[in-house]
Amino acid sequence: MVRALLAVLVLALGVGFAHDARAQTKKWNQQDAAKVAGELESAISGLRLKVRASPNVDNPQLRRPMFEILDLLRQIEFNTTSLHAQLQKGAGMEETLPTYNRLQQLRREAEVKAQRVDVSAITRPSLDKARELLAQLEPYYPEQPQIQDLR
C-alpha cells in the first residue's frame, strides 16, 4: 500500500517537473532579448492604423471581428512595449515571463480571429515581420501551447 502511494506521488511529481523541463531552449541573453523586443515593438507600431484603413472595417458583416482584432492589436502593442521596457531595465526571463505569456496568448487569439477575416497585402509584411521577431524570442522562454487551425 505504501509503495503504491509512493509510486503515485513520484509519478505526480515527475509530471509536474516534466512541465518545467520544457524550459527555454536557448540560454538567456538579456541584450539579445531586449534587442529583439525593441525590433518587435517597432514592427507592431502602426499596425492598428494599417488594419483600421482596411476596407474590411467598413464591411457590416466583418465590423465586429475587425474591431475585436483591432482591440487585440492594441493589447499586443501595449504588452510589446511593456516587455521591451522591462527588458531594457534589466528584468530577466522570470520577471518578463508573465508579459511574454500574455503577448503569446494575445497573438494566438488574434490568429484565431484573423482566420475569419481576410488580411490585406498591406498588413501582411508587418504581421510576418512581427511573427518572425516573436519566433526569435521563443527560445528564451518556456514552450507555448499550439493553436488549432479552424479552417
Side-chain angles (χ1 to χ4, degrees), residues 102-127:
R102 179 68 178 137
L103 187 57
Q104 286 285 20
Q105 179 184 9
L106 291 165
R107 177 198 53 84
R108 289 188 299 271
E109 190 175 339
E111 284 182 4
V112 169
K113 289 190 183 300
Q115 291 177 13
R116 294 183 277 156
V117 179
D118 182 34
V119 178
S120 72
I122 297 169
T123 58
R124 179 61 61 197
S126 295
L127 290 171

Side-chain angles (χ1 to χ4, degrees), residues 53-77:
S54 166
N56 287 335
V57 174
D58 296 328
N59 182 336
Q61 294 177 337
L62 298 176
R63 284 179 65 81
R64 181 173 290 166
M66 287 300 292
F67 286 127
E68 290 172 355
I69 290 170
L70 285 167
D71 185 58
L72 285 168
L73 288 174
R74 178 188 58 77
Q75 292 176 58
I76 288 170
E77 191 174 315

